[in-house]
Amino acid sequence: QVQLVESGGGSVQSGGSLRLSCTTSTIASSTNCMSWFRQVPGKRRREGVAGFNINRVATYADSVQGRFTISQDNTRNTLYLQMNNLKPEDTAMYYCALGGGFACYTPLNPDEYHVWGQGSQVSVSS
């Protein structure tokens, strides 16, 4: 069974940077996709943050465009999320997720993902 193990969360001040990592026994290929999501307390639905679409082009939520960068290292089966210029509104639990091929068509839609990491807390103070 595929497992996703996350690391790299923490607390920073506004304007700071963090990098999240997600290591898995498989990596995005033509038959699956991986993305990053986040969830704040009180919201039931996870928000798509960054992912790769069907053409393997990085896709971002408008709220993080220009500040976050998603990347993957296939040799280490690891997905990354580099977060720069963090803002207090970025405070959330961040999750990496693995979905089947259909997830690549809507990489920021959490309904297309069936395997989730344990979550990494990111806290940004003003």
Side-chain angles (χ1 to χ4, degrees):
Q1 183 175 355
V2 175
Q3 290 187 325
L4 308 180
V5 180
E6 301 180 36
S7 61
S11 298
V12 296
Q13 291 188 328
S14 181
S17 298
L18 287 171
R19 188 176 80 159
L20 301 179
S21 300
C22 175
T23 301
T24 178
S25 56
T26 185
I27 197 68
S29 67
S30 60
T31 59
N32 62 62
C33 268
M34 293 185 69
S35 291
W36 288 98
F37 295 84
R38 66 187 181 187
Q39 188 170 25
V40 299
K43 285 194 174 181
R44 295 183 62 183
R45 186 171 178 83
R46 291 174 180 172
E47 173 194 12
V49 176
F52 292 102
N53 66 16
I54 191 65
N55 295 314
R56 297 301 168 187
V57 174
T59 303
Y60 300 95
D62 290 343
S63 58
V64 307
Q65 181 76 46
R67 300 187 297 118
F68 290 14
T69 303
I70 187 173
S71 62
Q72 63 186 49
D73 183 345
N74 289 342
T75 63
R76 297 183 177 184
N77 284 357
T78 302
L79 186 73
Y80 300 100
L81 184 67
Q82 177 66 43
M83 303 182 291
N84 297 328
N85 191 21
L86 283 160
K87 303 176 180 181
E89 52 264 41
D90 295 318
T91 295
M93 185 72 79
Y94 284 72
Y95 299 89
C96 62
L98 174 72
F102 285 111
C104 304
Y105 291 95
T106 54
L108 302 185
N109 179 2
D111 296 335
E112 297 294 340
Y113 292 80
H114 55 276
V115 182
W116 294 83
Q118 82 278 12
S120 293
Q121 179 66 41
V122 171
S123 299
V124 185
S125 58
S126 58

